[in-house]
Amino acid sequence: QVQLVESGGGSVQAGGSLRLSCAASGNTDSTVCMGWFRQAPGKEREGVAGIYTQPPGIPYYVDSVKGRFTISRDNAKNTLYLQMNSLKPEDTATYYCAAGGPSCVGRRSQTSAYNYWGQGTQVTVSS
C-alpha cells in the first residue's frame, strides 16, 4: 500500500503561481510512476503530468500545461511536486496525486494506470 497526501492548493489570480506537493509513504519502493491529475466540475479526470520514479526520464505533460507546469520528485523526501506558473482560470480544478506500479509504463496519462490516489487539493484561478 502507498499513501499519498497532497498540499499546496489555494486561490490565485490569473498569471500567478502555486506549487503542489504530494508526500508519499508506505511501500513506495513498488512505485514505478507518479503523476498529477485534475478534475473540474462536470468534467472527466485529466492527466496533467507524469514521471517515472527511476530513472525519471522525460516527463509527460498534457498539451494545455506545457511550458507552464513542471513536475519533479525529491526521492530523499518521497515527495512529488507540481510547480504551476502562469495559471489560467481554466486550470481551476481539484488536483490529485497518483502512484502506479509496473502497469503504468507507457500509460502515464491514463487514470487506469495508477493504483493509489491522494484525497485531492483544490486550485482556484480567478480572472
Side-chain angles (χ1 to χ4, degrees):
Q1 293 287 330
V2 176
Q3 294 78 42
L4 304 170
V5 179
E6 302 101 333
S7 61
S11 297
V12 64
Q13 289 191 329
S17 298
L18 285 173
R19 187 175 82 155
L20 305 183
S21 299
C22 171
S25 61
N27 189 19
T28 56
D29 288 346
S30 67
T31 299
V32 176
C33 302
M34 295 193 76
W36 288 98
F37 288 74
R38 65 185 180 187
Q39 188 166 19
K43 294 188 176 182
E44 293 187 356
R45 192 167 296 190
E46 172 188 49
V48 175
I51 192 170
Y52 292 117
T53 54
Q54 288 183 0
I58 299 174
Y60 159 82
Y61 295 101
V62 68
D63 286 345
S64 58
V65 308
K66 286 181 179 177
R68 300 188 298 123
F69 290 11
T70 303
I71 187 172
S72 62
R73 183 171 181 260
D74 185 329
N75 291 336
K77 295 181 178 180
N78 273 330
T79 300
L80 183 73
Y81 300 100
L82 184 68
Q83 178 65 44
M84 306 186 294
N85 298 329
S86 302
L87 282 161
K88 303 176 180 180
E90 50 264 44
D91 295 318
T92 296
T94 301
Y95 283 71
Y96 298 90
C97 173
S103 64
C104 70
V105 175
R107 302 172 58 221
R108 289 177 294 177
S109 65
Q110 301 177 24
T111 57
S112 59
Y114 294 82
N115 309 100
Y116 305 103
W117 294 85
Q119 80 288 353
T121 185
Q122 179 66 35
V123 171
T124 302
V125 184
S126 58
S127 57

